[in-house]
């Protein structure tokens, strides 16, 4: 709750005239803002992908907030070729780079939260093999290059109904309900990219549907686009020590919430994800590197 309040504080001050904290993000130097090294980028197309880290102090507790943007899957066909995909390996390398920066010797170590568009995808090969287990595959190649440009999966019977069409930027599965029913939790077994970092990162249980790619048609708030396999791209992760910052209720009141926003309305191609919790007074490491923190008064 405190973290959300900080981001709303500037607007609150404008409306009420009351001072809430000593600085704003605009007036306080960022602790760290960095693109990934150019050789991390697929095909050497250097873009804005990277991370921003800021250090915060609330009462007597210090922690880092790290906003991250990792690399996407450029082609569904390439993602389907291997398990795990080549894109998964690129994301692992980039996330490892960020985590190493967070705990290096330049700053005192504190608990941290890493959040944003991780672009984590389901294991495409395993998902297709499961969704189309009883289907036959048709391969379509370009006439001039013989390159595979489309895969069509048809049921073996039932008049050979098309179940899935797969192209570079097309993932057209005939029944989107599989991604929505029970919040798509049947597919969580294919969400495997975070497992590499289980010793370094912790995540609360996911109980919301895949956060990407939603239709941007304002009348289709619950509909996925047929461009990518729906996946939990947007996440909030934390160091294991950061769990100590979250108070657990003694009367079973649900005060820790990990969920998405706007389930029934158009929010763009990503549904925002949030984590709401109370910070335990005195938890975590006391004030660290105060001169580069936003300090609550």
């Amino acid at each position: 709750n405190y973290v959300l309040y900080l981001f709303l504080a500037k607007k609150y001050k404008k409306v009420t005239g009351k001072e809430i904290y000593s600085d704003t993000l605009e007036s306080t130097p960022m602790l760290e803002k960095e693109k990934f090294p150019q050789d991390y980028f697929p095909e050497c197309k250097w873009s804005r992908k990277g991370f921003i880290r800021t250090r915060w102090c609330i009462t007597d507790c210090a922690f880092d907030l790290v906003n991250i943007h990792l690399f996407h899957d450029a082609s569904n066909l390439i993602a389907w070729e291997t398990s795990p995909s080549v894109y998964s390996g690129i994301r692992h390398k980039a996330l490892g780079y960020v985590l190493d920066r967070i705990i290096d010797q330049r700053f005192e170590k504190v608990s941290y939260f890493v959040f944003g568009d991780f672009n984590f995808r389901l294991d495409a090969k395993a998902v297709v093999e499961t969704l189309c287990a009883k289907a036959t595959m048709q391969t379509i190649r370009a006439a001039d290059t013989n390159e595979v440009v489309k895969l069509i999966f048809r049921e073996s019977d039932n008049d050979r109904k098309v179940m899935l069409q797969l192209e570079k930027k097309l993932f057209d599965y005939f029944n989107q309900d599989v991604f929505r029913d029970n919040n798509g939790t049947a597919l969580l077994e294919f969400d495997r990219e975070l497992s590499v970092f289980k010793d370094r990162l912790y995540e609360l249980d996911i109980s919301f549907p895949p956060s990407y790619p939603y239709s941007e048609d304002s009348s289709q708030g619950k509909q996925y686009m047929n461009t990518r396999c729906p996946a939990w791209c947007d996440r909030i992760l934390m160091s294991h020590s950061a769990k100590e910052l979250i108070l657990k209720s003694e009367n079973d009141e649900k005060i820790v919430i990990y969920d998405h926003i706007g389930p029934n309305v158009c929010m763009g191609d990503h549904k925002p994800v949030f984590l709401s919790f109370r910070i335990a007074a005195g938890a975590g490491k006391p004030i660290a590197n105060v001169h580069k923190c936003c300090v609550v008064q």
Side-chain angles (χ1 to χ4, degrees):
N1 289 351
Y2 270 121
V3 174
L4 178 61
Y5 199 55
L6 281 170
F7 284 109
L8 295 178
K10 185 178 180 182
K11 183 176 181 181
Y12 180 86
K13 178 183 177 183
K14 182 177 180 181
V15 173
T16 66
K18 295 180 180 179
E19 185 72 50
I20 297 180
Y21 65 101
S22 59
D23 284 307
T24 65
L25 287 177
E26 288 83 359
S27 63
T28 300
M30 289 184 178
L31 189 64
E32 190 169 15
K33 180 179 180 180
E34 184 178 342
K35 290 183 181 180
F36 291 115
Q38 189 167 5
D39 60 354
Y40 277 52
F41 287 76
E43 303 174 0
C44 297
K45 295 181 179 179
W46 206 16
S47 72
R48 64 189 180 196
K49 290 183 173 63
F51 68 98
I52 297 174
R53 173 167 66 143
T54 54
R55 179 154 295 181
W56 297 78
C57 293
I58 296 180
T59 62
D60 57 351
C61 179
F63 55 88
D64 284 348
L65 296 181
V66 184
N67 185 205
I68 195 170
H69 190 186
L70 297 182
F71 304 100
H72 64 279
D73 285 10
S75 168
N76 293 323
L77 294 171
I78 294 176
W80 175 83
E81 290 177 349
T82 60
S83 176
S85 77
V86 62
Y87 302 117
S88 176
I90 294 170
R91 286 188 286 271
H92 290 167
K93 180 180 178 182
L95 180 53
Y97 174 85
V98 173
L99 296 180
D100 289 342
R101 296 282 290 179
I102 292 173
I103 63 172
D104 64 19
Q105 302 302 314
R106 293 170 302 140
F107 304 101
E108 185 176 356
K109 295 180 183 178
V110 296
S111 300
Y112 56 84
F113 296 85
V114 188
F115 60 95
D117 183 4
F118 290 82
N119 264 312
F120 287 163
R121 307 300 172 97
L122 304 186
D123 187 319
K125 190 171 183 64
V127 168
V128 171
E129 289 175 350
T130 299
L131 295 180
C132 304
K134 298 181 179 180
T136 58
M137 184 180 75
Q138 175 187 358
T139 302
I140 299 177
R141 298 178 180 272
D144 53 346
T145 64
N146 202 38
E147 178 185 4
V148 175
V149 293
K150 188 170 187 175
L151 300 174
I152 302 175
F153 296 83
R154 299 177 183 272
E155 291 187 352
S156 300
D157 49 18
N158 195 26
D159 296 327
R160 292 185 54 78
K161 176 183 176 180
V162 174
M163 299 182 68
L164 173 67
Q165 297 183 75
L166 198 67
E167 298 178 14
K168 180 178 180 179
K169 294 185 178 181
L170 176 72
F171 188 97
D172 188 2
Y173 187 63
F174 80 104
N175 180 21
Q176 282 199 1
D177 287 343
V178 69
F179 303 108
R180 291 189 289 258
D181 290 347
N182 195 27
N183 291 323
T185 52
L187 298 173
L188 276 172
E189 65 173 296
F190 305 112
D191 179 68
R192 301 168 177 170
E193 294 197 30
L194 186 57
S195 62
V196 176
F197 298 96
K198 62 182 180 181
D199 294 333
R200 306 179 70 178
L201 292 170
Y202 172 80
E203 182 178 28
L204 294 171
D205 291 338
I206 292 176
S207 59
F208 49 87
S211 64
Y212 172 86
Y214 280 91
S215 170
E216 295 183 282
D217 183 336
S218 61
S219 65
Q220 301 290 329
K222 298 178 66 174
Q223 186 77 13
Y224 288 106
M225 288 191 289
N226 294 325
T227 53
R228 308 288 182 183
C229 177
W232 288 271
C233 293
D234 306 275
R235 314 283 274 265
I236 300 174
L237 314 177
M238 65 193 78
S239 62
H240 288 281
S241 62
K243 288 187 292 183
E244 301 175 8
L245 304 181
I246 301 176
L247 275 180
K248 295 183 178 179
S249 175
E250 296 180 356
N251 58 4
D252 293 329
E253 179 186 0
K254 189 175 182 181
I255 58 175
V256 179
I257 305 174
Y258 186 34
D259 205 347
H260 68 318
I261 297 173
N264 300 316
V265 297
C266 180
M267 303 288 288
D269 57 345
H270 290 257
K271 294 287 189 188
V273 171
F274 73 94
L275 174 62
S276 172
F277 60 93
R278 295 179 183 274
I279 294 178
K285 179 170 290 189
I287 297 173
N289 292 327
V290 166
H291 63 285
K292 287 192 177 181
C293 295
C294 295
V295 183
V296 175
Q297 294 183 332

